Amino acid sequence: MISFVLDYSNGVPIYRQIIDQILFGIETGQLKLGEQLPTVRALAVTLKVNLNTVSKAYKELEIKNVLTTHQGSGTYINRVDNLLSEKDRARKLTDLCNQFATVAAAYGFTIEDIKAELSQCEILNKHHHEK
Amino acid sequence: MISFVLDYSNGVPIYRQIIDQILFGIETGQLKLGEQLPTVRALAVTLKVNLNTVSKAYKELEIKNVLTTHQGSGTYINRVDNLLSEKDRARKLTDLCNQFATVAAAYGFTIEDIKAELSQCEILNKHHHEK
Amino acid sequence: MISFVLDYSNGVPIYRQIIDQILFGIETGQLKLGEQLPTVRALAVTLKVNLNTVSKAYKELEIKNVLTTHQGSGTYINRVDNLLSEKDRARKLTDLCNQFATVAAAYGFTIEDIKAELSQCEILNKHHHEK
Amino acid sequence: MISFVLDYSNGVPIYRQIIDQILFGIETGQLKLGEQLPTVRALAVTLKVNLNTVSKAYKELEIKNVLTTHQGSGTYINRVDNLLSEKDRARKLTDLCNQFATVAAAYGFTIEDIKAELSQCEILNKHHHEK
DNA sequence: GTGGTCTAGACCACT
DNA sequence: GTGGTCTAGACCACA
């Protein structure tokens, strides 16, 4: 399952946000090969957006072969080649950190500030307990 | 001075990106009260966009009282009350870290991975050398 | 509904005239909260101006929170706090009269001239008949 | 002599406001045939506007033969055929009143309100004492 | 069909 | 040379 969060104030089209979040879900392994997505109708109701908006997002992902729609059955994850290799994961980490570091540096935060703050983030630290 | 970076592939309108980057520049202190912005024409050439696109961005910020334009003279920073207070800075750090942590956690990166990677980021560590 | 009148000879930008007339419409109660404005395209055709000119006017009022636009649906009146209080109405009357009096006095018209002429104005006197 | 009042917030170009006020001065008899206007330089200083702005206004009125400039001597009123005939005066009164009545009616003011308010206007009533 | 964005290019207003 | 306004026309986003 996947949960969507829409931001109406950042100028990014809704259908684009849906696409991005599905791709993100696949990339991070939240969405697995063959998994069924919410129906267009259900998702439209959940997100309180127009049916066509969801439809457009799914259609674009279908064109990219990321999803397949089985008429009358539902929409499924078709491809997970986006799943990252070890090398890609390392690169992703570097990219994310660099991007984050650039913004943080612009605000003048030091690496000590950041490390201290990150140590407070539950989401990053709870995994230890889970293991 | 301020440098702009446009992303044509993320669906965010160009004029919106310009607005956001000016506000970011003010927030981070890169742009100071009274400082002159690039002329609409100069920026349009630099960014390879139409004059009206830049103009639209400046106009919106003028309506919001962030900029003032003196016709025939130029466009200037009018307000810097966006400059963050200490409390806001602390909050900003928390927000940035949380947001970053959420994405990083989704990819399964651990806090150790991240801290190690951040220690490699020149932009965050060069300040020590400067001092 | 609201009717727009443009003056191309007074140097005031068209989009500014549209803005002013919408604000005037709100102030006088002609335009009510939630009321839909003409579509940008319809108004552009009616006024024989470019779509972007109307769009610019609506956009500025949207930034100022006077209008809201629902993409694909239309543009609506969002705020009517411009509607005048009793005190403001009294002040408005005074302002209007003073402004009018200044011009009339410059032409040397007397208060008797004016009162006589105003008594001829249908628009001011028709209300009696309606009652 | 004539005094100018500029409004920077109504979108009417400054040079246009200067032109309009000179024409208004002539029409109302404040400015008489042969009367000298302030020099371009003096007026620019008084109004705190650019010299070229005043210059442009005067130049446009020269083209219309309303003013003449005698090199090194100054600028003078050249034509006063704008001075209104009796018939024109009557028409002007009607126009002014109609225009005023339209706005006042939009705000819902009654003719009684208006007459009462106008009776308070010093500028319209002081003339009686002068006579 | 409704609003949004962008372009290219023209011309005006002002310093 | 700076910003402002407008047009015509194209294409996108959304309901």
Side-chain angles (χ1 to χ4, degrees), chain C residues 9 27 89 107 115 119, chain D residues 9 16 27 89 107 115 119:
Chain C
S9 69
E27 207 178 65
R89 266 180 57 87
Y107 281 101
K115 284 185 178 172
S119 297
Chain D
S9 69
R16 235 344 253 285
E27 208 178 64
R89 268 178 57 86
Y107 281 100
K115 284 185 177 172
S119 298

Side-chain angles (χ1 to χ4, degrees), chain D residues 4 13-23 37 40 43 47 49-64 66-67 75:
Chain D
F4 294 86
I14 304 304
Y15 86 103
R16 235 344 253 285
Q17 294 187 38
I18 296 174
I19 291 175
D20 290 344
Q21 292 184 35
I22 291 174
L23 291 176
L37 286 169
V40 174
L43 188 51
L47 300 181
V49 299
N50 190 276
L51 204 145
N52 292 327
T53 305
V54 178
S55 186
K56 182 165 187 173
Y58 279 20
K59 193 157 291 173
E60 199 155 307
L61 288 169
E62 258 182 78
I63 292 169
K64 287 181 175 170
V66 174
L67 303 180
T75 303

Side-chain angles (χ1 to χ4, degrees), chain D residues 86-123:
Chain D
E86 266 314 298
K87 191 178 166 191
D88 284 339
R89 268 178 57 86
R91 193 168 165 183
K92 192 84 199 177
L93 177 59
T94 307
D95 286 350
L96 280 176
C97 287
N98 277 332
Q99 192 186 322
F100 170 65
T102 305
V103 176
Y107 281 100
F109 298 129
T110 69
I111 190 153
E112 287 79 17
D113 293 337
I114 295 164
K115 284 185 177 172
E117 187 66 40
L118 286 174
S119 298
Q120 309 286 334
C121 290
E122 289 183 13
I123 199 166

Side-chain angles (χ1 to χ4, degrees), chain A residues 16 27 89 107 115 119, chain B residues 9 27 89 107 115 119:
Chain A
R16 231 354 244 286
E27 209 178 63
R89 268 179 55 87
Y107 281 101
K115 284 183 178 174
S119 297
Chain B
S9 70
E27 206 178 65
R89 266 179 58 87
Y107 281 100
K115 284 185 177 172
S119 298

